[in-house]
Amino acid sequence: MSAANLHDSQALEPLVQGIPKIRSRRGPRCRKPAKLHADKAYDVPDCHRALREQRIGDRIARRGIESSARLGRHRWAVERTIAWLGGYCRLTLRYERHAHLFAAFLALAAAITCYKKLELAN
């Protein structure tokens, strides 16, 4: 979690470093994703450098050249998830003083959302 007035590009490096190990029944565990898709806000040299150091491929829309529309199918999953979590009033505004309490409510909302989606599938 970060301050609301922090630019997206400044939060990229801590976000990538905070990715947990990906468990797999087949083969070794992956420590990081192979590729990262991002919009124009991340098209700064520091973001490209941080991803190159982590050996993560990037697909970042370039400012002034490309449209972010080509990232639509990847972005849709993120926007949909944020919309689902936005249905929980406690998460729309941050009322908690401590970050760990907000993270707990966020995890609870994600678990409830997953349960509801699984319940509908059956």
Side-chain angles (χ1 to χ4, degrees):
M1 279 179 259
S2 62
N5 61 352
L6 184 69
H7 192 268
D8 291 344
S9 64
Q10 294 174 341
L12 178 73
E13 197 167 348
L15 175 72
V16 171
Q17 290 175 353
I19 296 173
K21 289 184 180 179
I22 302 168
R23 295 184 181 186
S24 174
R25 291 184 182 179
R26 292 173 267 145
R29 290 184 179 180
C30 298
R31 178 65 179 130
K32 57 189 177 276
K35 193 179 214 181
L36 182 126
H37 294 265
D39 61 5
K40 293 178 187 182
Y42 298 95
D43 188 28
V44 292
D46 289 340
C47 290
H48 290 286
R49 179 194 47 77
L51 292 172
R52 209 173 21 251
E53 286 175 359
Q54 295 285 329
R55 294 189 181 122
I56 298 174
D58 63 356
R59 176 63 190 98
I60 299 175
R62 294 175 293 174
R63 284 183 284 169
I65 298 172
E66 290 183 271
S67 160
S68 296
R70 293 186 62 194
L71 297 170
R73 67 175 181 212
H74 302 288
R75 175 182 253 171
W76 182 80
V78 175
E79 298 293 337
R80 176 199 60 202
T81 306
I82 291 171
W84 284 342
L85 294 175
Y88 298 95
C89 297
R90 189 83 184 199
L91 297 177
T92 55
L93 289 175
R94 186 172 165 191
Y95 296 107
E96 289 75 30
R97 282 185 184 266
H98 304 288
H100 69 278
L101 293 175
F102 183 77
F105 280 117
L106 183 62
L108 180 62
I112 291 170
T113 301
C114 289
Y115 176 74
K116 287 179 181 178
K117 298 300 171 189
L118 287 173
E119 197 174 61
L120 289 174
N122 291 331

